[in-house]
Amino acid sequence: MNNRTERKKDTLWLAAAAGALLLVGQPGPAATPSPTPARQLVVATTDQDRRFAPAFAEVDSWVAKKAFPGAVLAVGQHGRLVALKAFGKLDSAPDAPPMPVDAIFDLASLTKVIGTTTAAEILYDRHKLDLDAPVVRYLPEFGGTPGHDRITVRNLLTHSSGLQSADGLWRNAKDRQGLLRQIYAVPSLTPPGTKYVYRDTNIILLGEIVERLSGLPLDRFLQREVFGPLGMKDTGFRPSSALLSRIPPTEQDDTFRHMLVHGVVHDENSYVMGGVAGHAGLFSTARDLATLAELYLDHGSYRGKRLIKASTIALFETPQNIPPGSSRALGWDMPTPGGFSGPLASPHAIIHTGFTGTSIYIDPDRDAFIILLTNRVNPTRNNPLIGQARPAIHTALLSVLDGAAATK
């Protein structure tokens, strides 16, 4: 199939998917706005303590309830960074220092969208990645196991591959290649496209595809194509030990590494893979992620420089309805009733969370974003309060944004 045919196919698929979603009563894709003048994120936080006082109090209340030791929050709207604030402490120790506003967090599964999905968009733009190609086209080693030949890249991005979980593979792997060999042979539990089950396995495979197609390790490709051009100087894999004072510790690991995990990736599979993987391993600040969010709100451009085509951004933000009823777009999730983004969330927003206590919410209807970074797994992952904290904080923030808009 030639490149022109592939693009036509995806354009027709996008239109058909939107129509199908409307027929079953689900939101279609947000309308792609007309091109707007080039913009960059302007810092406008002078009035944040007054304007966001109720929302800031909500975050403080969850620190007091020990949902997390500390947090950094970034909120933007209409090309302006309207809030950037730190809360609580760097960790749960009684003598821990205050959380710095430039804290560098282990993003956990935000890696899947900030890194790997964005890389996939760029390769799609360059006619290197076909969403409906079988994974074995790019990773021949993945073939041979029953069911694998039918799994497509789109199945990976929508978590509809049917593959078994990658949880615990680190127990039987000594290095990156040892873990990948296990993933290439994981069983298919259901036919692709028939069931949604969120799996790290899918995006680990996608990360490997990015490396094969780009000819570069994932970390180098993202630095060259995304983080460098956007000026995200505090974003990357395997942070330098010189930055430890700005990195919130995550969990006290008494099972695998037998240490307080600090400055290295929390996720065990990513750790075995050397700290660079498609599903986990990125570290970043709220300020850097605000820039990435603005790239998406500006339809793939930042400061007048286009990194991703607007049509590609629109495609990846569209719910795929694979299988019917799934809230997944391509790589990204979208709000659902009872979800972490709260009842005020736009149905067209793209969202994701990370196990360590991180989340990102990008809302094209409001032209706004919310980034909440915490280290809720410190000192232990056995703390479920983040599930209550996230929707409460998002609701408080969106109430402020909506109230401000109503008074203009």
Side-chain angles (χ1 to χ4, degrees), residues 114-370:
I114 302 302
T116 313
T117 298
T118 302
E121 293 168 9
I122 291 170
L123 293 171
Y124 175 84
D125 264 357
R126 296 176 182 175
H127 309 280
K128 291 186 174 182
L129 181 67
D130 180 354
L131 300 181
D132 293 309
V135 172
V136 294
R137 176 190 297 180
Y138 305 119
L139 302 174
E141 305 95 317
F142 186 61
T145 300
H148 281 198
D149 291 354
R150 296 173 55 197
I151 297 170
T152 67
V153 175
R154 197 183 299 268
N155 293 140
L156 300 183
L157 282 161
T158 55
H159 293 279
S160 64
S161 67
L163 290 172
Q164 180 175 292
S165 172
D167 294 349
L169 294 185
W170 53 271
R171 299 178 186 276
N172 299 306
K174 294 182 179 180
D175 55 23
R176 180 184 190 88
Q177 291 306 315
L179 194 138
L180 286 173
R181 279 194 294 271
Q182 293 183 71
I183 290 179
Y184 293 149
V186 294
S188 290
L189 303 180
T190 57
T194 62
K195 188 174 182 180
Y196 160 74
V197 183
Y198 179 81
R199 299 290 198 208
D200 287 348
T201 320
N202 296 312
I203 311 302
I204 293 173
L205 289 168
L206 185 62
E208 293 305 299
I209 291 173
V210 169
E211 294 201 354
R212 298 288 176 91
L213 294 180
S214 68
L216 290 172
L218 181 63
D219 55 344
R220 288 176 55 194
F221 180 77
L222 286 168
Q223 179 59 37
R224 187 184 75 180
E225 302 292 342
V226 183
F227 308 145
L230 290 176
M232 296 170 66
K233 61 183 179 63
D234 289 322
T235 302
F237 297 83
R238 296 185 294 205
S240 165
S241 59
L243 299 171
L244 276 179
S245 64
R246 292 171 54 197
I247 300 175
T250 51
E251 190 170 25
Q252 176 61 42
D253 180 1
D254 295 326
T255 302
F256 177 34
R257 288 159 287 196
H258 301 283
M259 66 179 189
L260 175 65
V261 181
H262 187 197
V264 296
V265 63
H266 176 264
D267 180 90
E268 293 91 348
N269 283 332
S270 180
Y271 183 83
V272 168
M273 294 177 73
V276 180
H279 71 298
L282 265 182
F283 286 72
S284 188
T285 63
R287 180 64 184 86
D288 270 10
L289 294 187
T291 301
L292 192 284
E294 189 61 30
L295 173 75
Y296 275 85
L297 288 174
D298 206 21
H299 317 294
S301 293
Y302 189 72
R303 293 181 177 171
K305 179 179 177 61
R306 180 158 296 283
L307 272 68
I308 304 167
K309 293 178 181 177
S311 58
T312 298
I313 293 288
L315 174 64
F316 275 68
E317 291 179 345
T318 300
Q320 302 293 289
N321 205 35
I322 305 174
S326 170
S327 63
R328 284 278 159 177
L330 289 170
W332 295 89
D333 201 359
M334 304 185 80
T336 55
F340 86 86
S341 49
L344 299 182
S346 162
H348 298 126
I350 53 173
I351 61 176
H352 215 283
T353 62
F355 186 79
T356 50
T358 58
S359 62
I360 185 167
Y361 171 93
I362 303 176
D363 186 333
D365 293 339
R366 290 183 174 91
D367 190 24
F369 63 79
I370 297 169

